[in-house]
Amino acid sequence: MTTLQEYIATIDQEEHKEKFSELMDSVQAKFSQLQLVFKWNEPMYTYNETFIISFNKTKKHITVSPEVAGIKEFFDRITACGYGQGKSTFRIKWEETINYQLLYEIIQFNLDEKRNYPTFWRKAIDK
């Protein structure tokens, strides 16, 4: 995968393609300083070569990865939205509403926390 269009083309249902496209367009419009890159066959946003957030499509949901620190910081709000969670990800089912305000706050948190971060991922000690 090298482009967002190629990635979106792999989504089966048209309404899911539209939802994913809207999500990515919204993030890029709000945070124009972010760079969209593809690693491990999924789109992710970076800033100064450090990871900020990624979005991955599955048949049932969009997986959002803000790293463990993002999950910890926003755990209660993610839970309040009804999104399923893992240690470093949460899931937005295709039929669920995307809480853009929450996503924007998570992205801003990572931008602030990692503004001058020297590596791609947070070190385990930082999590």
Side-chain angles (χ1 to χ4, degrees), residues 39-94:
K39 295 184 183 286
W40 304 282
N41 290 321
E42 71 180 65
M44 54 184 62
Y45 287 101
T46 64
Y47 180 74
N48 287 338
E49 298 183 25
T50 190
F51 176 86
I52 300 300
I53 197 164
S54 71
F55 302 97
N56 190 20
K57 51 84 181 164
T58 72
K59 284 193 178 276
K60 296 182 178 184
H61 58 263
I62 299 168
T63 301
V64 182
S65 303
E67 287 188 284
V68 174
I71 295 292
K72 285 181 178 180
E73 181 72 18
F74 293 92
F75 180 85
D76 292 339
R77 294 195 45 213
I78 294 167
T79 300
C81 288
Y83 301 147
Q85 299 181 56
K87 182 178 179 181
S88 62
T89 65
F90 65 95
R91 298 169 298 283
I92 304 171
K93 293 179 184 172
W94 289 111

Side-chain angles (χ1 to χ4, degrees), residues 67 117-119 121-127:
E67 287 188 284
Y117 212 77
T119 60
W121 302 110
R122 284 179 174 94
K123 296 178 184 173
I125 198 164
D126 294 340
K127 294 181 182 178

Side-chain angles (χ1 to χ4, degrees), residues 2 7 10-11 16 18 23 33-34 36 43 56 62 67 72 78 89 91 94 99 101 103 105-106 110 115 117 122 127:
T2 59
Y7 186 84
T10 67
I11 299 173
H16 296 175
E18 290 173 18
L23 168 62
Q33 73 271 40
L34 296 179
L36 176 64
N56 190 20
I62 299 168
E67 287 188 284
K72 285 181 178 180
I78 294 167
T89 65
R91 298 169 298 283
W94 289 111
N99 184 327
Q101 185 60 40
L103 283 178
E105 289 178 33
I106 291 170
N110 276 342
R115 185 157 311 278
Y117 212 77
R122 284 179 174 94
K127 294 181 182 178

